[in-house]
C-alpha cells in the first residue's frame, strides 16, 4: 500500500485534463500492441518444401514430388519451372497439380523438350503466409525412365551344356539412339535367392539376345530383365518372369553313407548302404540305375557286383575291412565313383568332438560342435525321429569347411524329437559320433503320467509313475509336479526333476483319504495324469513290531526271572507248578456212619422208590475222580473198623445167597470181584448199610448184563487204579469155589 503525503510541495502543479488524456492514449496503444502480438504468435506458416525429386518419364510427363506430404492446416503449392536452358519459365498447370495437401505436380508435353536442363522451385501457401523452397536443377537425360523390356524366350542351345539363351524386345518408348544398360536376374525354381548379371547393349535392333552360362545341367531357371538409358539413374521396372531348362548331362555324382549294424551269430555283419544326389547336383537329374561293387581290403579277387534301381541296399560283409564303390548312370553317361570304407569290427574309431549344442532361430535349427582335431574339415550329419517304433525316415548331409549345420524348420515336423549325430571324417576314416536331441517346436504332452501309490504307511506314501511314450511327449519333459489333497483339505504340490519317477510324500495325516495326480511339464505347459485315491494306515507295521517286541521282551524277562527264582528256590517253584495231591487215606470219610454217610454223599436217588426199577439196570455214572478215590479208600478203612462178629454175620448171608457176585454202585463205573478174604458177615452188613436195594439188584441181575455197566477195559480183572495209593491190586481177592458156569446156573 502506497502512502500519499497530505501536503504537496508548492512548486508542483498538475493539470487534471491533460493527465487524463495521456493515460487513455497509453492504454489504447497497449491494447493495440497486445492484439498485434497475439496475432503474430498465433500465426503458423506452412513447412518449407524439401527433398524435391523429379523424374522424366520418356514421352509421357515430367513429375516432381517433395515433402512434407501432409500439413497440419490446408496448404496450396505452386511449382515454378524454367526450361529451354533457362530461356522460358512457367507454373505447373492447376489441373496437373495436386491440391489439398498433396505434394506432387506433373508437366505434360508439348512443353517437355529433350535434351534440356530444368530448374524447379516449390512455394507453399496457407492463410497465415507463404514460404518457398530452394531452387533445384535437373538434367532430363539423367532422370529419364523408360518402359521395361519384354522377354520373348528362354531356352537351351543344342550341344551347349549348362547355358540358357534369353531373347527380348527393346522397349518402344526408349530413345532410339541411346545405349541401354540391362540387369538380368535368375534363380532355380525351388530357390528364393536371386542372382544378377549386368551388361549393356549398343545395338538398336528390336530383338536382342543374351547367353547366360555357368548354370547347372538339367535344371529349371526363372529369368527377369530390366533396363535404363546409360546416363540415367532410374531403372525401368522388371519384366515378366520366364522359365527355361538347361540340357541334361551324365549324373553329377553321389553322396554315399552307411549304417553299421551288429554282427550276427554266423559272423556276417549287415551294412545298410544309402546314397543320394550330391550337393549341388541338378534338381531334375534322374538316373536309370546304380552299380555297386565291393571287396575285402587288399583282396580284389573277391569283388562282388550288384545292380539296383533303388537308392539303398543292404550288404552282408564279414568282420574284415571292406571297400564299397557306387556309381549312377543315365543315357548320357556315368557319374563319378563314390567310395566308402567299411571298418573292421574290432577297429577302434577316433573321437574328436568335445561338445555339441542345438539352438533355434526364427526359421532354422542350428547345430554347432567343437572339435579337438583341427585337421578334420569334413563332417557327416545324420538325423531321424526318435520314436518308440523304428522309423524309415533317415536323412544325412555332408558338411565341409565348417563346424555348424543348419536346416529349415519346415523340413522337420513339430512336436517330434529328432536324434542328431555328427561323425568326423578324416580321409577315408570315420570317427566316433556325438549325438544330441532337439525339437523344432515343443507343445504340451498329449497324455499325463500313469500314477500308482505304493508302500502306504501312517504318514507316508511312495508315489511312482511311468514315463510318457516318446511319441506323446511333444517336447522335453522339464519336471514333474505331484498334486495331493486330503478330504476337504488344502491341496499341496511337490515338483521334482524330469529324471525322477518316484517320490515319497511325508507328513500326511493318519487314517485319512487322499486324492493324488502327477503333471508332466514341457516348455509349452503341462498335462495332468491319472487321478488316484489312497488312505493312510491307522497303525504302522513298525508300531506293531514295537508293541510285539515289548510284549515278547516282557515275557522273556518274566521267564528269565522265573527260571532264576526256580534255581534259587526250587521247592517253591515245584510247589507252584506241581501242587501236592491230597491223600485220600487222610480224608474224614472213614468216620462217617449209617445215615450220616448217606447224607454226606447226598445220594438222594437211593431214597426214591420210584427210581428203583431204573436202578435195576446198571448205568455208567460219571463222578469226579477224586470223589471215587476217596470213596473206595475210605470204604476200605471202614471195612477194617467193622467188628469180627458183624463180619461173620455178613459173610454167612453173602455165601448163602451167592458166593461170587460183583459189588456195584451207581457212583462207581467199574466192577471188581469181592475178595473172599473179607468176612462174610461184615460184607453182609456193608451191603445192608450202604447199598440198600443194590444188593438185591445184584441177585436179580444176570451176569451177562454186566458188560453194559461201563467200558470193556474197565471190567478186566486185576486192573490197577492209578488214583489210589492202596490199589485193589495190593489186596488179594478170593475166587469163587464154583466155576462161572455153575454160578450162573445157581442164579
Amino acid at each position: 500500500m502506497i502512502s500519499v503525503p497530505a501536503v504537496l510541495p508548492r512548486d508542483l502543479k498538475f493539470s487534471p485534463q491533460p493527465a487524463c488524456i495521456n493515460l487513455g492514449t497509453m492504454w489504447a496503444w497497449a491494447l493495440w500492441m497486445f492484439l498485434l502480438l497475439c496475432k503474430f504468435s498465433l500465426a503458423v506458416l506452412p513447412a518449407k518444401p524439401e527433398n524435391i525429386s523429379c523424374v522424366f518419364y520418356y514421352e509421357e510427363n515430367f513429375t516432381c514430388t517433395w515433402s512434407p506430404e501432409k500439413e497440419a492446416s490446408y496448404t496450396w503449392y505452386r511449382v515454378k519451372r524454367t526450361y529451354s536452358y533457362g530461356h522460358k519459365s512457367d507454373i505447373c498447370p492447376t489441373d496437373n497439380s495436386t491440391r489439398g495437401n498433396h505434394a506432387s505436380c506433373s508437366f505434360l508435353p508439348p512443353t517437355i523438350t529433350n535434351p534440356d536442363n530444368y530448374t524447379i522451385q516449390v512455394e507453399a501457401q496457407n492463410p497465415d503466409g507463404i514460404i518457398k523452397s530452394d531452387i533445384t536443377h535437373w538434367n532430363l537425360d539423367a532422370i529419364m525412365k523408360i518402359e521395361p523390356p519384354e522377354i520373348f524366350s528362354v531356352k537351351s542351345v543344342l550341344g551347349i551344356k549348362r547355358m540358357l539363351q534369353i531373347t527380348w524386345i527393346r522397349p518402344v518408348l526408349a530413345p532410339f539412339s541411346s545405349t541401354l544398360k540391362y540387369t538380368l536376374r535368375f534363380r532355380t525354381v525351388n530357390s528364393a535367392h536371386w542372382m544378377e548379371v549386368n551388361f549393356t547393349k549398343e545395338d538398336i535392333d528390336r530383338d536382342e539376345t543374351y547367353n547366360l552360362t555357368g548354370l547347372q545341367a538339367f535344371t529349371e531357371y526363372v529369368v527377369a530383365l530390366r533396363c535404363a538409358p546409360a546416363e540415367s539413374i532410374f531403372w525401368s521396372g522388371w519384366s515378366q518372369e520366364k522359365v527355361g531348362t538347361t540340357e541334361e548331362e551324365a549324373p553329377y555324382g553321389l553322396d554315399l553313407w552307411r549304417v553299421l549294424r551288429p554282427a550276427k551269430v554266423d559272423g556276417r555283419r549287415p551294412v545298410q548302404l544309402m546314397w543320394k544326389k550330391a550337393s549341388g547336383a541338378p534338381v531334375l537329374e534322374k538316373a536309370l540305375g546304380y552299380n555297386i561293387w565291393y571287396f575285402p581290403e587288399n583282396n580284389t579277387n573277391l569283388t562282388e557286383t550288384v545292380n539296383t534301381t533303388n537308392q539303398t541296399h543292404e550288404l552282408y560283409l564279414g568282420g574284415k575291412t571292406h571297400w564299397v564303390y557306387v556309381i549312377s548312370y543315365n543315357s548320357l553317361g556315368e557319374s563319378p565313383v563314390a567310395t566308402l570304407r567299411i571298418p573292421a569290427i574290432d577297429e577302434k574309431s577316433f573321437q574328436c568332438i568335445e561338445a555339441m549344442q542345438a539352438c533355434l532361430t526364427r526359421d532354422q535349427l542350428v547345430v554347432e560342435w567343437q572339435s579337438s582335431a583341427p585337421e578334420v574339415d569334413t563332417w557327416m550329419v545324420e538325423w531321424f525321429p526318435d520314436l518308440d517304433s523304428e522309423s524309415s525316415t533317415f536323412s544325412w548331409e555332408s558338411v565341409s569347411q565348417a563346424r555348424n549345420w543348419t536346416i529349415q524348420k519346415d523340413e522337420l515336423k513339430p512336436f517330434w524329437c529328432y536324434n542328431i549325430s555328427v561323425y568326423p571324417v578324416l580321409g577315408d576314416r570315420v570317427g566316433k559320433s556325438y549325438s544330441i536331441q532337439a525339437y523344432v517346436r515343443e507343445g504340451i504332452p498329449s497324455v499325463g503320467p500313469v500314477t500308482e501309490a505304493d508302500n502306504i504307511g501312517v504318514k507316508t506314501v511312495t508315489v511312482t509313475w511311468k514315463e510318457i511314450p516318446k511319441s506323446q511327449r511333444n517336447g522335453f519333459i522339464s519336471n514333474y509336479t505331484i498334486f495331493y489333497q486330503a478330504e476337504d483339505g488344502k491341496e499341496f504340490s511337490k515338483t521334482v526333476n524330469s529324471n525322477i519317477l518316484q517320490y515319497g510324500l511325508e507328513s500326511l495325516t493318519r487314517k485319512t483319504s487322499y486324492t493324488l495326480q502327477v503333471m508332466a511339464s514341457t516348455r509349452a505347459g503341462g498335462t495332468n495324469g491319472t487321478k488316484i485315491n489312497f488312505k493312510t494306515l491307522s497303525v504302522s507295521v513298525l508300531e506293531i513290531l514295537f508293541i510285539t517286541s515289548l510284549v515278547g521282551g516282557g515275557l522273556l524277562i518274566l521267564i528269565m526271572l522265573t527260571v532264576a527264582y526256580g534255581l534259587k528256590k526250587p521247592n517253591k517253584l515245584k510247589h507252584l507248578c506241581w501242587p501236592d495231591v491230597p491223600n485220600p487215606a487222610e480224608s474224614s470219610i472213614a468216620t462217617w456212619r449209617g445215615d450220616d454217610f448217606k447224607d454226606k454223599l447226598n445220594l438222594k436217588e437211593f431214597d426214591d422208590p420210584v427210581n428203583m426199577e431204573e436202578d435195576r439196570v446198571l448205568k455208567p455214572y460219571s463222578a469226579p475222580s477224586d470223589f471215587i478215590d476217596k470213596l473206595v479208600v475210605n470204604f476200605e478203612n471202614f471195612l477194617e473198623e467193622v467188628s469180627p462178629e458183624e463180619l461173620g454175620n455178613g459173610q454167612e448171608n453173602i455165601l448163602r445167597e451167592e458166593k461170587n457176585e460183583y459189588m456195584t454202585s451207581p457212583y462207581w463205573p467199574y466192577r471188581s470181584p469181592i475178595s473172599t478174604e473179607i468176612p462174610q458177615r461184615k460184607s453182609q452188613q456193608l451191603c445192608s448199610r450202604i447199598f440198600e436195594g443194590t444188593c438185591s439188584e445184584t441177585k436179580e441181575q444176570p451176569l451177562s448184563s454186566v458188560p453194559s455197566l461201563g467200558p470193556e477195559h474197565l471190567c478186566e480183572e486185576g486192573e490197577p487204579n492209578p488214583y489210589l495209593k492202596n490199589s485193589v491190586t495190593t489186596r488179594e481177592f478170593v475166587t469163587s469155589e464154583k466155576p462161572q458156569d455153575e454160578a450162573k446156573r445157581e442164579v
Side-chain angles (χ1 to χ4, degrees):
M1 185 174 185
I2 301 173
S3 60
V4 180
V7 180
L8 295 175
R10 295 180 179 179
D11 297 337
L12 186 61
K13 296 182 180 180
F14 290 96
S15 177
Q17 187 172 358
C20 183
I21 293 174
N22 292 335
L23 184 61
T25 303
M26 291 176 63
W27 277 109
W29 277 101
L31 181 60
W32 182 81
M33 290 297 295
F34 176 76
L35 294 176
L36 184 62
L37 291 174
C38 289
K39 180 179 179 181
F40 280 108
S41 62
L42 295 175
V44 179
L45 295 176
K48 180 181 178 179
E50 295 179 347
N51 300 325
I52 299 174
S53 175
C54 297
V55 179
F56 172 41
Y57 295 96
Y58 184 71
E59 295 186 357
E60 289 187 1
N61 59 66
F62 177 85
T63 302
C64 295
T65 59
W66 57 88
S67 63
E69 296 182 355
K70 187 174 183 180
E71 292 280 359
S73 61
Y74 195 82
T75 304
W76 294 267
Y77 292 98
R78 288 200 319 166
V79 180
K80 294 182 179 182
R81 178 185 64 160
T82 63
Y83 61 102
S84 296
Y85 298 100
H87 294 87
K88 296 181 180 180
S89 63
D90 60 358
I91 296 175
C92 185
T94 303
D95 54 349
N96 293 330
S97 62
T98 306
R99 303 183 60 185
N101 294 349
H102 287 221
S104 66
C105 186
S106 299
F107 296 90
L108 302 177
T111 60
I112 299 175
T113 58
N114 185 41
D116 201 348
N117 291 328
Y118 289 176
T119 61
I120 299 295
Q121 186 180 32
V122 180
E123 293 181 357
Q125 181 180 0
N126 66 6
D128 295 326
I130 299 174
I131 192 169
K132 297 180 180 181
S133 70
D134 298 332
I135 298 175
T136 58
H137 302 271
W138 303 96
N139 186 336
L140 295 188
D141 289 337
I143 60 174
M144 184 185 301
K145 187 173 184 179
I146 61 177
E147 292 181 345
E150 180 183 356
I151 297 177
F152 181 72
S153 65
V154 178
K155 61 182 180 180
S156 61
V157 178
L158 184 62
I160 303 178
K161 307 298 184 181
R162 303 187 180 187
M163 188 189 78
L164 288 176
Q165 189 177 73
I166 297 96
T167 304
W168 69 92
I169 300 175
R170 183 183 173 92
V172 176
L173 297 178
F176 184 76
S177 60
S178 297
T179 299
L180 300 183
K181 55 184 179 182
Y182 294 89
T183 298
L184 178 66
R185 68 178 186 179
F186 61 96
R187 62 178 177 85
T188 60
V189 173
N190 297 325
S191 175
H193 177 65
W194 289 96
M195 293 174 286
E196 294 183 354
V197 176
N198 295 317
F199 59 92
T200 59
K201 283 288 186 178
E202 297 180 357
D203 299 337
I204 60 175
D205 296 337
R206 291 293 305 274
D207 297 338
E208 299 188 13
T209 60
Y210 182 81
N211 294 328
L212 183 61
T213 59
L215 305 179
Q216 296 180 1
F218 204 42
T219 304
E220 288 183 317
Y221 285 91
V222 180
V223 178
L225 192 66
R226 69 178 181 178
C227 64
E231 301 84 3
S232 178
I233 62 174
F234 293 110
W235 288 90
S236 68
W238 290 102
S239 66
Q240 291 185 348
E241 297 177 352
K242 290 286 186 179
V243 179
T245 305
T246 57
E247 282 194 346
E248 185 178 7
E249 290 183 355
Y252 183 80
L254 296 175
D255 283 340
L256 184 61
W257 189 236
R258 83 291 185 274
V259 176
L260 304 179
R261 305 189 187 279
K264 295 189 176 182
V265 179
D266 57 0
R268 297 190 307 163
R269 178 175 46 163
V271 176
Q272 186 74 27
L273 289 179
M274 300 172 291
W275 57 86
K276 61 182 179 179
K277 292 184 294 184
S279 301
V283 177
L284 300 178
E285 179 183 281
K286 295 180 180 179
L288 298 178
Y290 304 93
N291 287 328
I292 307 169
W293 65 93
Y294 57 96
F295 53 88
E297 191 175 33
N298 300 326
N299 192 355
T300 58
N301 295 329
L302 300 178
T303 301
E304 297 188 29
T305 305
V306 178
N307 181 269
T308 181
T309 57
N310 300 323
Q311 290 186 328
T312 180
H313 186 75
E314 189 171 41
L315 301 178
Y316 290 91
L317 307 178
K320 298 182 180 180
T321 303
H322 281 71
W323 286 89
V324 179
Y325 299 96
V326 181
I327 63 170
S328 62
Y329 61 88
N330 60 13
S331 59
L332 298 177
E334 296 179 348
S335 70
V337 178
T339 306
L340 188 64
R341 179 180 180 271
I342 307 300
I345 294 179
D346 56 353
E347 181 177 318
K348 294 183 178 180
S349 302
F350 67 95
Q351 185 174 5
C352 65
I353 301 178
E354 299 177 347
M356 188 164 63
Q357 64 177 0
C359 57
L360 293 172
T361 62
R362 183 175 181 180
D363 300 321
Q364 293 178 333
L365 172 66
V366 181
V367 179
E368 299 177 346
W369 58 89
Q370 298 177 359
S371 174
S372 60
E375 65 275 10
V376 178
D377 59 356
T378 302
W379 316 85
M380 188 64 73
V381 182
E382 63 179 25
W383 66 96
F384 57 91
D386 184 14
L387 303 176
D388 297 318
S389 59
E390 293 186 2
S391 175
S392 59
T393 305
F394 190 93
S395 305
W396 79 99
E397 184 177 343
S398 179
V399 177
S400 299
Q401 306 297 328
R403 293 183 181 179
N404 60 74
W405 171 76
T406 60
I407 185 172
Q408 297 293 325
K409 288 184 178 180
D410 297 340
E411 299 182 29
L412 303 177
K413 292 186 178 181
F415 312 135
W416 279 27
C417 180
Y418 283 86
N419 286 328
I420 303 175
S421 301
V422 177
Y423 293 82
V425 180
L426 182 60
D428 55 9
R429 296 181 180 272
V430 179
K432 289 185 178 179
S433 64
Y434 197 105
S435 302
I436 60 171
Q437 292 184 329
Y439 284 87
V440 295
R441 182 182 175 187
E442 294 190 43
I444 62 174
S446 301
V447 296
V450 178
T451 310
E452 295 180 355
D454 299 326
N455 302 327
I456 301 175
V458 175
K459 294 185 178 181
T460 61
V461 65
T462 301
V463 184
T464 59
W465 58 91
K466 296 181 180 179
E467 282 189 306
I468 301 173
K470 295 178 182 178
S471 59
Q472 296 179 327
R473 294 177 190 173
N474 300 333
F476 292 115
I477 302 298
S478 57
N479 56 66
Y480 294 98
T481 304
I482 305 168
F483 297 97
Y484 60 100
Q485 182 180 12
E487 288 181 334
D488 302 329
K490 182 181 178 181
E491 185 179 53
F492 298 91
S493 64
K494 295 287 185 181
T495 301
V496 297
N497 295 330
S498 59
N499 58 347
I500 297 177
L501 299 177
Q502 178 177 307
Y503 188 80
L505 297 178
E506 300 177 351
S507 301
L508 303 180
T509 305
R510 183 189 299 264
K511 199 177 181 180
T512 304
S513 296
Y514 282 87
T515 301
L516 183 144
Q517 62 181 352
V518 178
M519 180 180 70
S521 301
T522 63
R523 292 181 180 179
T527 301
N528 291 327
T530 56
K531 184 179 291 186
I532 61 173
N533 298 318
F534 68 92
K535 187 175 183 180
T536 54
L537 302 178
S538 58
V539 179
S540 66
V541 177
L542 293 177
E543 292 176 347
I544 295 175
L545 293 177
F546 180 72
I547 295 173
T548 305
S549 300
L550 288 178
V551 175
L555 292 176
L556 181 61
I557 293 173
L558 180 62
I559 293 173
M560 293 176 64
L561 293 176
T562 304
V563 172
Y565 180 78
L567 294 176
K568 186 175 181 181
K569 297 181 178 181
N571 294 331
K572 289 187 177 183
L573 180 64
K574 181 179 179 181
H575 179 73
L576 291 175
C577 296
W578 299 281
D580 294 337
V581 178
N583 188 358
E586 299 176 356
S587 175
S588 61
I589 193 173
T591 60
W592 297 352
R593 297 289 186 273
D595 296 335
D596 294 336
F597 178 75
K598 186 175 183 179
D599 295 337
K600 296 287 184 179
L601 296 177
N602 200 14
L603 303 175
K604 295 181 180 181
E605 60 272 25
F606 294 150
D607 298 332
D608 191 359
V610 179
N611 296 329
M612 293 299 292
E613 289 294 353
E614 297 179 0
D615 293 336
R616 293 179 182 272
V617 180
L618 297 179
K619 299 180 181 181
Y621 185 82
S622 61
S625 59
D626 58 341
F627 174 75
I628 298 173
D629 295 339
K630 291 180 180 181
L631 179 62
V632 174
V633 173
N634 285 282
F635 179 70
E636 182 183 39
N637 297 332
F638 176 76
L639 293 178
E640 293 177 355
E641 295 177 2
V642 176
S643 61
E645 294 79 6
E646 294 176 351
L647 182 61
N649 296 331
Q651 184 177 5
E652 295 177 357
N653 295 331
I654 293 173
L655 294 176
R656 185 171 48 248
E657 295 179 15
E658 186 175 1
K659 293 182 179 180
N660 190 15
E661 289 290 337
Y662 291 88
M663 182 177 63
T664 62
S665 173
Y667 300 99
W668 205 346
Y670 61 93
R671 65 185 182 276
S672 62
I674 302 174
S675 174
T676 56
E677 293 181 357
I678 302 174
Q680 296 294 331
R681 187 175 55 82
K682 198 167 186 177
S683 301
Q684 180 87 18
Q685 186 177 1
L686 176 64
C687 185
S688 62
R689 289 184 180 181
I690 301 176
F691 303 101
E692 297 176 359
T694 305
C695 295
S696 60
E697 289 178 13
T698 58
K699 295 179 181 180
E700 299 175 359
Q701 189 72 19
L703 189 62
S704 60
S705 63
V706 173
S708 64
L709 297 177
E712 185 176 356
H713 68 277
L714 296 177
C715 300
E716 294 181 0
E717 184 178 0
E719 184 176 1
N721 189 347
Y723 297 97
L724 299 178
K725 291 183 178 180
N726 300 321
S727 175
V728 294
T729 58
T730 62
R731 299 192 300 271
E732 296 181 358
F733 290 86
V734 179
T735 59
S736 178
E737 297 177 356
K738 298 181 181 182
Q740 186 176 0
D741 295 339
E742 294 181 3
K744 289 181 179 181
R745 284 194 301 271
E746 290 180 0
V747 174

